[in-house]
Structure formats: structure tokens, C-alpha cells
Amino acid sequence: MTSPEDQSPAPGPAGPEFKDRIYRSPAGIVGGVLLLGLVGWLGIDAIVAGEGRTPWLALATLILVVPLTVAFTLRPAVYAGQDRLRVRNPFRVIVLPWGQVASLRSGYSNEVVDASGKKFQLWSIPVSLRARKKANRRESRAAAQRDGGNAGQGGRAAGGPGLGGLGGGLSRGGRGAAPDGPVRAETDRVMDELRELWEARQKEESAQGEVTVRWAWEILGPAVAGAVVLGILLAVG
């Protein structure tokens, strides 16, 4: 699941300026915090109570594991602004002006494709096939309810009793009422929001520019250092 933040527009002196819509995965954040707590508890305990090479091995493991855990759980986020899309993935930060976005795809993963054909996965907007199937089932039930309601209205218009004649008709917005629009999984709704923003802004002059990709050395550096130290300790024996 993905949670958007700061979605309300803020008026500016030169016209409407939008705050970034931030999409992150609550499940990923919760899992990351729990993993960091477990790793920290085991690692610190090994450093304090361990003997011989154990504290050094535990320290090297912490230096390796902690950045990777942060990278794959707490770090991913998608920032959708007025002029550009900023994607913060585990090891890279990609900034795509809306004018450089060719498409936003949803399949087994959610991706953004730039004008040159390069694909970038949206890590913080994971696809849940289970949620998608559940939404499809709900949509099927809602379509059946809409068809039943239309049939009941047709019966009443023709003078027949219909469902409403028994006092048991479905009321709009009441319990059991069919939703007005199609039922969509949460991440699919997020992708719909991004597509709407892209379609509205892609031709604006302020939304043009070059795609930039920056490696997250703040994650890669400590992880590589921890891997090297751990490898040396294991090799030395």
C-alpha cells in the first residue's frame, strides 16, 4: 500500500503552485523500522558481549546491513511536483521533468519511461496482485449491482413492481450501494493520479528539461565499506 502526503495545492503569487505529492509505502516503513530494531539489538549485543573477533564481525555486519535495510524499506519515495517527477529508489535518485516522461506503466511493477525509452521502477509504489484481484472482484459485484439497479428502474418505469415496489431498493450512497466509478486497487489509483498530473503538465514550458540520475553514495559507500571489512575479517579467519 502507498500513502500520499501533502496533496493540497498552495496558491502562489504567480498562479497556483502545487506542493509535491509524496508517495511512500507504509508497509515498507513499518517493516524497515522493525528490521532495524532487530538488527540493532542483535548487533549491539554481539559488540558488547561478544569475545574475540565477534565484536568486529558484528560491527562490519551492521555497517553493511543497516544501509541496505534503509535503502530498500525507508528510503524509497516518489515526489510528484508541478513540473517534475522525482523518484527516490534504493540506490538512485531520478528526476524527470514531465515533458521528458513518455509513459507511466503498470504491470507486475509500476514504472516510468522517459523519452529515450529508459525505464525506472517506482519502488515506493509496489504492485499488489492480491489487491488488484480483490478490486476486480469488487468491480464485478458493483457492475452487477448497477445492472440490477438499472433493471429495477426499467421495471418501475414500465409499471412493474421492480425492487423499489417492495421497499427494498438500493439507495444511492447507502449501504450496499454500487460505487459511481470503477473500483481500483490503491496503487492503481496512485498511478492514475500521476498520469493525470503528467497529462496536464507535460507541455508546460516549466516542465521541460533533462532527465538526471544520481547514485545514492550515502547508501552505497557505507554498504561497500562494510562488505569489504567483513570480507577481510572472514578471509583472515
Side-chain angles (χ1 to χ4, degrees):
M1 300 179 65
T2 302
S3 64
E5 305 170 7
D6 297 330
Q7 298 190 44
S8 58
E17 295 183 359
F18 297 89
K19 294 181 179 180
D20 285 355
R21 300 177 184 179
I22 306 173
Y23 300 96
R24 307 184 73 176
S25 172
I29 294 174
V30 172
V33 171
L34 293 177
L35 282 175
L36 287 175
L38 178 62
V39 169
W41 173 50
L42 295 176
I44 293 175
D45 180 70
I47 292 173
V48 174
E51 298 178 356
R53 297 169 54 248
T54 300
W56 295 105
L57 289 171
L59 179 60
T61 302
L62 283 176
I63 297 175
L64 170 63
V65 172
V66 169
L68 294 179
T69 302
V70 172
F72 285 98
T73 58
L74 304 182
R75 176 180 170 82
V78 170
Y79 300 82
Q82 186 176 13
D83 298 324
R84 58 188 49 84
L85 181 71
R86 184 161 66 96
V87 181
R88 194 171 70 187
N89 282 343
F91 301 121
R92 294 188 298 179
V93 176
I94 305 102
V95 179
L96 303 101
W98 288 120
Q100 288 292 326
V101 174
S103 65
L104 289 154
R105 298 179 181 175
S106 296
Y108 292 105
S109 64
N110 290 315
E111 300 173 335
V112 57
V113 183
D114 70 7
S116 66
K118 292 182 179 179
K119 302 177 184 179
F120 304 99
Q121 186 174 347
L122 306 178
W123 278 79
S124 69
I125 310 177
V127 170
S128 172
L129 297 180
R130 180 180 179 183
R132 186 173 288 172
K133 291 178 180 178
K134 183 178 179 180
N136 290 337
R137 289 195 298 268
R138 292 179 58 194
E139 172 61 18
S140 298
R141 290 195 296 267
Q145 289 180 5
R146 289 193 292 267
D147 293 341
N150 292 334
Q153 290 177 3
R156 289 192 296 273
L163 292 176
L166 299 177
L170 298 176
S171 62
R172 185 182 183 89
R175 183 177 181 181
D180 295 334
V183 179
R184 302 274 284 166
E186 183 176 354
T187 55
D188 290 337
R189 291 199 302 268
V190 169
M191 294 299 290
D192 290 341
E193 290 181 8
L194 293 178
R195 290 189 188 98
E196 291 176 2
L197 184 56
W198 163 53
E199 291 170 357
R201 299 294 303 170
Q202 61 178 327
K203 295 183 180 180
E204 297 294 329
E205 183 178 355
S206 59
Q208 309 305 312
E210 298 295 328
V211 177
T212 61
V213 179
R214 181 182 68 84
W215 288 97
W217 295 111
E218 65 274 17
I219 297 291
L220 292 171
V224 170
V228 170
V229 173
L230 184 60
I232 293 174
L233 291 173
L234 293 175
V236 170

PDB file of all heavy atoms in Angstrom, residues 123-153:
ATOM      1  N   TRP A 123       9.797   2.143  -6.822  1.00  0.00           N
ATOM      2  CA  TRP A 123       9.894   1.205  -5.703  1.00  0.00           C
ATOM      3  C   TRP A 123       8.873   1.475  -4.624  1.00  0.00           C
ATOM      4  O   TRP A 123       8.400   0.549  -3.965  1.00  0.00           O
ATOM      5  CB  TRP A 123      11.301   1.263  -5.105  1.00  0.00           C
ATOM      6  CG  TRP A 123      12.299   0.442  -5.848  1.00  0.00           C
ATOM      7  CD1 TRP A 123      12.939   0.776  -7.011  1.00  0.00           C
ATOM      8  CD2 TRP A 123      12.777  -0.863  -5.504  1.00  0.00           C
ATOM      9  NE1 TRP A 123      13.782  -0.240  -7.397  1.00  0.00           N
ATOM     10  CE2 TRP A 123      13.703  -1.257  -6.483  1.00  0.00           C
ATOM     11  CE3 TRP A 123      12.510  -1.727  -4.446  1.00  0.00           C
ATOM     12  CZ2 TRP A 123      14.361  -2.478  -6.442  1.00  0.00           C
ATOM     13  CZ3 TRP A 123      13.159  -2.953  -4.394  1.00  0.00           C
ATOM     14  CH2 TRP A 123      14.079  -3.307  -5.390  1.00  0.00           C
ATOM     15  N   SER A 124       8.539   2.742  -4.398  1.00  0.00           N
ATOM     16  CA  SER A 124       7.636   3.067  -3.284  1.00  0.00           C
ATOM     17  C   SER A 124       6.170   2.874  -3.646  1.00  0.00           C
ATOM     18  O   SER A 124       5.295   3.077  -2.805  1.00  0.00           O
ATOM     19  CB  SER A 124       7.862   4.510  -2.834  1.00  0.00           C
ATOM     20  OG  SER A 124       7.427   5.423  -3.828  1.00  0.00           O
ATOM     21  N   ILE A 125       5.891   2.487  -4.907  1.00  0.00           N
ATOM     22  CA  ILE A 125       4.522   2.206  -5.322  1.00  0.00           C
ATOM     23  C   ILE A 125       4.483   0.760  -5.806  1.00  0.00           C
ATOM     24  O   ILE A 125       4.415   0.492  -7.012  1.00  0.00           O
ATOM     25  CB  ILE A 125       4.049   3.181  -6.424  1.00  0.00           C
ATOM     26  CG1 ILE A 125       4.337   4.631  -6.023  1.00  0.00           C
ATOM     27  CG2 ILE A 125       2.562   3.013  -6.697  1.00  0.00           C
ATOM     28  CD1 ILE A 125       3.960   5.645  -7.075  1.00  0.00           C
ATOM     29  N   PRO A 126       4.566  -0.195  -4.889  1.00  0.00           N
ATOM     30  CA  PRO A 126       4.612  -1.600  -5.296  1.00  0.00           C
ATOM     31  C   PRO A 126       3.246  -2.084  -5.770  1.00  0.00           C
ATOM     32  O   PRO A 126       2.203  -1.614  -5.314  1.00  0.00           O
ATOM     33  CB  PRO A 126       5.046  -2.323  -4.017  1.00  0.00           C
ATOM     34  CG  PRO A 126       4.522  -1.457  -2.917  1.00  0.00           C
ATOM     35  CD  PRO A 126       4.606  -0.042  -3.422  1.00  0.00           C
ATOM     36  N   VAL A 127       3.271  -3.034  -6.689  1.00  0.00           N
ATOM     37  CA  VAL A 127       2.036  -3.630  -7.192  1.00  0.00           C
ATOM     38  C   VAL A 127       1.651  -4.802  -6.297  1.00  0.00           C
ATOM     39  O   VAL A 127       2.484  -5.658  -5.993  1.00  0.00           O
ATOM     40  CB  VAL A 127       2.209  -4.106  -8.646  1.00  0.00           C
ATOM     41  CG1 VAL A 127       1.018  -4.939  -9.088  1.00  0.00           C
ATOM     42  CG2 VAL A 127       2.392  -2.911  -9.571  1.00  0.00           C
ATOM     43  N   SER A 128       0.402  -4.822  -5.880  1.00  0.00           N
ATOM     44  CA  SER A 128      -0.142  -5.941  -5.129  1.00  0.00           C
ATOM     45  C   SER A 128      -1.146  -6.669  -6.019  1.00  0.00           C
ATOM     46  O   SER A 128      -2.239  -6.162  -6.269  1.00  0.00           O
ATOM     47  CB  SER A 128      -0.813  -5.465  -3.835  1.00  0.00           C
ATOM     48  OG  SER A 128      -1.499  -6.529  -3.214  1.00  0.00           O
ATOM     49  N   LEU A 129      -0.739  -7.837  -6.530  1.00  0.00           N
ATOM     50  CA  LEU A 129      -1.652  -8.603  -7.376  1.00  0.00           C
ATOM     51  C   LEU A 129      -2.890  -9.036  -6.594  1.00  0.00           C
ATOM     52  O   LEU A 129      -3.987  -9.112  -7.144  1.00  0.00           O
ATOM     53  CB  LEU A 129      -0.926  -9.813  -7.953  1.00  0.00           C
ATOM     54  CG  LEU A 129       0.261  -9.499  -8.882  1.00  0.00           C
ATOM     55  CD1 LEU A 129       0.889 -10.794  -9.382  1.00  0.00           C
ATOM     56  CD2 LEU A 129      -0.179  -8.629 -10.056  1.00  0.00           C
ATOM     57  N   ARG A 130      -2.698  -9.304  -5.296  1.00  0.00           N
ATOM     58  CA  ARG A 130      -3.842  -9.693  -4.465  1.00  0.00           C
ATOM     59  C   ARG A 130      -4.846  -8.551  -4.364  1.00  0.00           C
ATOM     60  O   ARG A 130      -6.052  -8.765  -4.502  1.00  0.00           O
ATOM     61  CB  ARG A 130      -3.343 -10.094  -3.082  1.00  0.00           C
ATOM     62  CG  ARG A 130      -4.446 -10.525  -2.128  1.00  0.00           C
ATOM     63  CD  ARG A 130      -3.863 -10.904  -0.769  1.00  0.00           C
ATOM     64  NE  ARG A 130      -4.887 -11.302   0.164  1.00  0.00           N
ATOM     65  CZ  ARG A 130      -4.660 -11.630   1.432  1.00  0.00           C
ATOM     66  NH1 ARG A 130      -3.416 -11.614   1.899  1.00  0.00           N
ATOM     67  NH2 ARG A 130      -5.650 -11.970   2.225  1.00  0.00           N
ATOM     68  N   ALA A 131      -4.341  -7.318  -4.121  1.00  0.00           N
ATOM     69  CA  ALA A 131      -5.247  -6.166  -4.034  1.00  0.00           C
ATOM     70  C   ALA A 131      -5.912  -5.900  -5.372  1.00  0.00           C
ATOM     71  O   ALA A 131      -7.087  -5.506  -5.427  1.00  0.00           O
ATOM     72  CB  ALA A 131      -4.470  -4.936  -3.569  1.00  0.00           C
ATOM     73  N   ARG A 132      -5.179  -6.117  -6.462  1.00  0.00           N
ATOM     74  CA  ARG A 132      -5.757  -5.889  -7.788  1.00  0.00           C
ATOM     75  C   ARG A 132      -6.884  -6.891  -8.069  1.00  0.00           C
ATOM     76  O   ARG A 132      -7.926  -6.520  -8.596  1.00  0.00           O
ATOM     77  CB  ARG A 132      -4.655  -5.987  -8.846  1.00  0.00           C
ATOM     78  CG  ARG A 132      -5.106  -5.618 -10.241  1.00  0.00           C
ATOM     79  CD  ARG A 132      -3.922  -5.590 -11.180  1.00  0.00           C
ATOM     80  NE  ARG A 132      -3.068  -4.440 -10.940  1.00  0.00           N
ATOM     81  CZ  ARG A 132      -1.875  -4.274 -11.545  1.00  0.00           C
ATOM     82  NH1 ARG A 132      -1.417  -5.200 -12.364  1.00  0.00           N
ATOM     83  NH2 ARG A 132      -1.162  -3.191 -11.312  1.00  0.00           N
ATOM     84  N   LYS A 133      -6.660  -8.174  -7.701  1.00  0.00           N
ATOM     85  CA  LYS A 133      -7.708  -9.177  -7.896  1.00  0.00           C
ATOM     86  C   LYS A 133      -8.923  -8.868  -7.023  1.00  0.00           C
ATOM     87  O   LYS A 133     -10.075  -9.037  -7.446  1.00  0.00           O
ATOM     88  CB  LYS A 133      -7.164 -10.562  -7.580  1.00  0.00           C
ATOM     89  CG  LYS A 133      -6.133 -11.073  -8.583  1.00  0.00           C
ATOM     90  CD  LYS A 133      -5.611 -12.442  -8.178  1.00  0.00           C
ATOM     91  CE  LYS A 133      -4.579 -12.947  -9.174  1.00  0.00           C
ATOM     92  NZ  LYS A 133      -4.028 -14.276  -8.762  1.00  0.00           N
ATOM     93  N   LYS A 134      -8.663  -8.418  -5.788  1.00  0.00           N
ATOM     94  CA  LYS A 134      -9.770  -8.066  -4.892  1.00  0.00           C
ATOM     95  C   LYS A 134     -10.574  -6.910  -5.465  1.00  0.00           C
ATOM     96  O   LYS A 134     -11.813  -6.912  -5.423  1.00  0.00           O
ATOM     97  CB  LYS A 134      -9.212  -7.706  -3.513  1.00  0.00           C
ATOM     98  CG  LYS A 134     -10.267  -7.391  -2.474  1.00  0.00           C
ATOM     99  CD  LYS A 134      -9.634  -7.102  -1.129  1.00  0.00           C
ATOM    100  CE  LYS A 134     -10.685  -6.771  -0.082  1.00  0.00           C
ATOM    101  NZ  LYS A 134     -10.059  -6.481   1.240  1.00  0.00           N
ATOM    102  N   ALA A 135      -9.870  -5.902  -6.025  1.00  0.00           N
ATOM    103  CA  ALA A 135     -10.563  -4.766  -6.628  1.00  0.00           C
ATOM    104  C   ALA A 135     -11.364  -5.206  -7.845  1.00  0.00           C
ATOM    105  O   ALA A 135     -12.474  -4.706  -8.076  1.00  0.00           O
ATOM    106  CB  ALA A 135      -9.550  -3.686  -7.019  1.00  0.00           C
ATOM    107  N   ASN A 136     -10.835  -6.139  -8.620  1.00  0.00           N
ATOM    108  CA  ASN A 136     -11.573  -6.644  -9.785  1.00  0.00           C
ATOM    109  C   ASN A 136     -12.854  -7.359  -9.352  1.00  0.00           C
ATOM    110  O   ASN A 136     -13.898  -7.228  -9.999  1.00  0.00           O
ATOM    111  CB  ASN A 136     -10.686  -7.583 -10.601  1.00  0.00           C
ATOM    112  CG  ASN A 136      -9.568  -6.845 -11.314  1.00  0.00           C
ATOM    113  OD1 ASN A 136      -9.661  -5.644 -11.564  1.00  0.00           O
ATOM    114  ND2 ASN A 136      -8.504  -7.554 -11.653  1.00  0.00           N
ATOM    115  N   ARG A 137     -12.762  -8.128  -8.253  1.00  0.00           N
ATOM    116  CA  ARG A 137     -13.968  -8.808  -7.762  1.00  0.00           C
ATOM    117  C   ARG A 137     -15.005  -7.796  -7.286  1.00  0.00           C
ATOM    118  O   ARG A 137     -16.212  -7.934  -7.545  1.00  0.00           O
ATOM    119  CB  ARG A 137     -13.602  -9.776  -6.636  1.00  0.00           C
ATOM    120  CG  ARG A 137     -12.836 -11.015  -7.105  1.00  0.00           C
ATOM    121  CD  ARG A 137     -12.827 -12.081  -6.026  1.00  0.00           C
ATOM    122  NE  ARG A 137     -12.146 -11.625  -4.819  1.00  0.00           N
ATOM    123  CZ  ARG A 137     -10.849 -11.823  -4.577  1.00  0.00           C
ATOM    124  NH1 ARG A 137     -10.108 -12.466  -5.470  1.00  0.00           N
ATOM    125  NH2 ARG A 137     -10.295 -11.394  -3.459  1.00  0.00           N
ATOM    126  N   ARG A 138     -14.551  -6.774  -6.581  1.00  0.00           N
ATOM    127  CA  ARG A 138     -15.472  -5.733  -6.121  1.00  0.00           C
ATOM    128  C   ARG A 138     -16.098  -4.996  -7.291  1.00  0.00           C
ATOM    129  O   ARG A 138     -17.285  -4.641  -7.266  1.00  0.00           O
ATOM    130  CB  ARG A 138     -14.735  -4.750  -5.208  1.00  0.00           C
ATOM    131  CG  ARG A 138     -14.305  -5.333  -3.863  1.00  0.00           C
ATOM    132  CD  ARG A 138     -13.559  -4.303  -3.047  1.00  0.00           C
ATOM    133  NE  ARG A 138     -14.360  -3.109  -2.824  1.00  0.00           N
ATOM    134  CZ  ARG A 138     -13.854  -1.960  -2.374  1.00  0.00           C
ATOM    135  NH1 ARG A 138     -12.554  -1.864  -2.122  1.00  0.00           N
ATOM    136  NH2 ARG A 138     -14.634  -0.918  -2.193  1.00  0.00           N
ATOM    137  N   GLU A 139     -15.297  -4.750  -8.337  1.00  0.00           N
ATOM    138  CA  GLU A 139     -15.826  -4.076  -9.510  1.00  0.00           C
ATOM    139  C   GLU A 139     -16.882  -4.933 -10.204  1.00  0.00           C
ATOM    140  O   GLU A 139     -17.903  -4.424 -10.678  1.00  0.00           O
ATOM    141  CB  GLU A 139     -14.686  -3.750 -10.475  1.00  0.00           C
ATOM    142  CG  GLU A 139     -15.130  -3.207 -11.829  1.00  0.00           C
ATOM    143  CD  GLU A 139     -15.914  -1.906 -11.732  1.00  0.00           C
ATOM    144  OE1 GLU A 139     -15.827  -1.233 -10.681  1.00  0.00           O
ATOM    145  OE2 GLU A 139     -16.616  -1.579 -12.703  1.00  0.00           O
ATOM    146  N   SER A 140     -16.660  -6.251 -10.239  1.00  0.00           N
ATOM    147  CA  SER A 140     -17.645  -7.149 -10.836  1.00  0.00           C
ATOM    148  C   SER A 140     -18.956  -7.104 -10.053  1.00  0.00           C
ATOM    149  O   SER A 140     -20.050  -7.058 -10.630  1.00  0.00           O
ATOM    150  CB  SER A 140     -17.104  -8.574 -10.885  1.00  0.00           C
ATOM    151  OG  SER A 140     -15.941  -8.650 -11.697  1.00  0.00           O
ATOM    152  N   ARG A 141     -18.850  -7.123  -8.702  1.00  0.00           N
ATOM    153  CA  ARG A 141     -20.064  -7.041  -7.879  1.00  0.00           C
ATOM    154  C   ARG A 141     -20.758  -5.690  -8.060  1.00  0.00           C
ATOM    155  O   ARG A 141     -21.989  -5.616  -8.129  1.00  0.00           O
ATOM    156  CB  ARG A 141     -19.720  -7.286  -6.412  1.00  0.00           C
ATOM    157  CG  ARG A 141     -19.319  -8.714  -6.090  1.00  0.00           C
ATOM    158  CD  ARG A 141     -19.358  -8.966  -4.597  1.00  0.00           C
ATOM    159  NE  ARG A 141     -18.382  -8.152  -3.888  1.00  0.00           N
ATOM    160  CZ  ARG A 141     -17.149  -8.557  -3.585  1.00  0.00           C
ATOM    161  NH1 ARG A 141     -16.742  -9.769  -3.957  1.00  0.00           N
ATOM    162  NH2 ARG A 141     -16.333  -7.774  -2.920  1.00  0.00           N
ATOM    163  N   ALA A 142     -19.943  -4.620  -8.130  1.00  0.00           N
ATOM    164  CA  ALA A 142     -20.534  -3.291  -8.300  1.00  0.00           C
ATOM    165  C   ALA A 142     -21.223  -3.174  -9.655  1.00  0.00           C
ATOM    166  O   ALA A 142     -22.298  -2.582  -9.765  1.00  0.00           O
ATOM    167  CB  ALA A 142     -19.443  -2.220  -8.172  1.00  0.00           C
ATOM    168  N   ALA A 143     -20.619  -3.761 -10.703  1.00  0.00           N
ATOM    169  CA  ALA A 143     -21.255  -3.732 -12.017  1.00  0.00           C
ATOM    170  C   ALA A 143     -22.570  -4.491 -12.002  1.00  0.00           C
ATOM    171  O   ALA A 143     -23.560  -4.061 -12.611  1.00  0.00           O
ATOM    172  CB  ALA A 143     -20.308  -4.327 -13.056  1.00  0.00           C
ATOM    173  N   ALA A 144     -22.599  -5.623 -11.280  1.00  0.00           N
ATOM    174  CA  ALA A 144     -23.841  -6.392 -11.173  1.00  0.00           C
ATOM    175  C   ALA A 144     -24.909  -5.580 -10.444  1.00  0.00           C
ATOM    176  O   ALA A 144     -26.092  -5.605 -10.817  1.00  0.00           O
ATOM    177  CB  ALA A 144     -23.578  -7.708 -10.455  1.00  0.00           C
ATOM    178  N   GLN A 145     -24.506  -4.854  -9.397  1.00  0.00           N
ATOM    179  CA  GLN A 145     -25.461  -4.016  -8.669  1.00  0.00           C
ATOM    180  C   GLN A 145     -25.992  -2.896  -9.555  1.00  0.00           C
ATOM    181  O   GLN A 145     -27.187  -2.589  -9.534  1.00  0.00           O
ATOM    182  CB  GLN A 145     -24.808  -3.425  -7.419  1.00  0.00           C
ATOM    183  CG  GLN A 145     -24.532  -4.437  -6.318  1.00  0.00           C
ATOM    184  CD  GLN A 145     -23.885  -3.795  -5.109  1.00  0.00           C
ATOM    185  OE1 GLN A 145     -23.715  -2.587  -5.051  1.00  0.00           O
ATOM    186  NE2 GLN A 145     -23.519  -4.614  -4.136  1.00  0.00           N
ATOM    187  N   ARG A 146     -25.078  -2.279 -10.353  1.00  0.00           N
ATOM    188  CA  ARG A 146     -25.538  -1.213 -11.242  1.00  0.00           C
ATOM    189  C   ARG A 146     -26.522  -1.756 -12.287  1.00  0.00           C
ATOM    190  O   ARG A 146     -27.520  -1.126 -12.592  1.00  0.00           O
ATOM    191  CB  ARG A 146     -24.333  -0.544 -11.916  1.00  0.00           C
ATOM    192  CG  ARG A 146     -23.488   0.319 -10.980  1.00  0.00           C
ATOM    193  CD  ARG A 146     -22.527   1.194 -11.751  1.00  0.00           C
ATOM    194  NE  ARG A 146     -21.491   0.402 -12.413  1.00  0.00           N
ATOM    195  CZ  ARG A 146     -20.302   0.132 -11.874  1.00  0.00           C
ATOM    196  NH1 ARG A 146     -20.018   0.584 -10.651  1.00  0.00           N
ATOM    197  NH2 ARG A 146     -19.400  -0.569 -12.541  1.00  0.00           N
ATOM    198  N   ASP A 147     -26.189  -2.928 -12.841  1.00  0.00           N
ATOM    199  CA  ASP A 147     -27.096  -3.532 -13.829  1.00  0.00           C
ATOM    200  C   ASP A 147     -28.438  -3.869 -13.197  1.00  0.00           C
ATOM    201  O   ASP A 147     -29.494  -3.660 -13.798  1.00  0.00           O
ATOM    202  CB  ASP A 147     -26.461  -4.799 -14.416  1.00  0.00           C
ATOM    203  CG  ASP A 147     -25.240  -4.482 -15.262  1.00  0.00           C
ATOM    204  OD1 ASP A 147     -25.112  -3.309 -15.676  1.00  0.00           O
ATOM    205  OD2 ASP A 147     -24.423  -5.398 -15.488  1.00  0.00           O
ATOM    206  N   GLY A 148     -28.413  -4.401 -11.957  1.00  0.00           N
ATOM    207  CA  GLY A 148     -29.656  -4.707 -11.265  1.00  0.00           C
ATOM    208  C   GLY A 148     -30.476  -3.463 -10.982  1.00  0.00           C
ATOM    209  O   GLY A 148     -31.698  -3.458 -11.099  1.00  0.00           O
ATOM    210  N   GLY A 149     -29.782  -2.380 -10.604  1.00  0.00           N
ATOM    211  CA  GLY A 149     -30.493  -1.130 -10.353  1.00  0.00           C
ATOM    212  C   GLY A 149     -31.127  -0.576 -11.608  1.00  0.00           C
ATOM    213  O   GLY A 149     -32.259  -0.084 -11.593  1.00  0.00           O
ATOM    214  N   ASN A 150     -30.407  -0.664 -12.741  1.00  0.00           N
ATOM    215  CA  ASN A 150     -30.972  -0.186 -13.999  1.00  0.00           C
ATOM    216  C   ASN A 150     -32.181  -1.013 -14.402  1.00  0.00           C
ATOM    217  O   ASN A 150     -33.171  -0.503 -14.915  1.00  0.00           O
ATOM    218  CB  ASN A 150     -29.911  -0.242 -15.102  1.00  0.00           C
ATOM    219  CG  ASN A 150     -28.793   0.756 -14.862  1.00  0.00           C
ATOM    220  OD1 ASN A 150     -29.005   1.766 -14.198  1.00  0.00           O
ATOM    221  ND2 ASN A 150     -27.619   0.488 -15.410  1.00  0.00           N
ATOM    222  N   ALA A 151     -32.090  -2.351 -14.162  1.00  0.00           N
ATOM    223  CA  ALA A 151     -33.215  -3.217 -14.492  1.00  0.00           C
ATOM    224  C   ALA A 151     -34.422  -2.873 -13.628  1.00  0.00           C
ATOM    225  O   ALA A 151     -35.569  -2.862 -14.082  1.00  0.00           O
ATOM    226  CB  ALA A 151     -32.832  -4.684 -14.306  1.00  0.00           C
ATOM    227  N   GLY A 152     -34.175  -2.590 -12.329  1.00  0.00           N
ATOM    228  CA  GLY A 152     -35.272  -2.218 -11.438  1.00  0.00           C
ATOM    229  C   GLY A 152     -35.924  -0.917 -11.848  1.00  0.00           C
ATOM    230  O   GLY A 152     -37.144  -0.782 -11.819  1.00  0.00           O
ATOM    231  N   GLN A 153     -35.114   0.059 -12.283  1.00  0.00           N
ATOM    232  CA  GLN A 153     -35.672   1.325 -12.727  1.00  0.00           C
ATOM    233  C   GLN A 153     -36.499   1.143 -13.987  1.00  0.00           C
ATOM    234  O   GLN A 153     -37.534   1.768 -14.173  1.00  0.00           O
ATOM    235  CB  GLN A 153     -34.534   2.323 -12.972  1.00  0.00           C
ATOM    236  CG  GLN A 153     -33.861   2.768 -11.690  1.00  0.00           C
ATOM    237  CD  GLN A 153     -32.685   3.696 -11.980  1.00  0.00           C
ATOM    238  OE1 GLN A 153     -32.426   4.044 -13.120  1.00  0.00           O
ATOM    239  NE2 GLN A 153     -31.984   4.086 -10.925  1.00  0.00           N
TER     240      GLN A 153
END
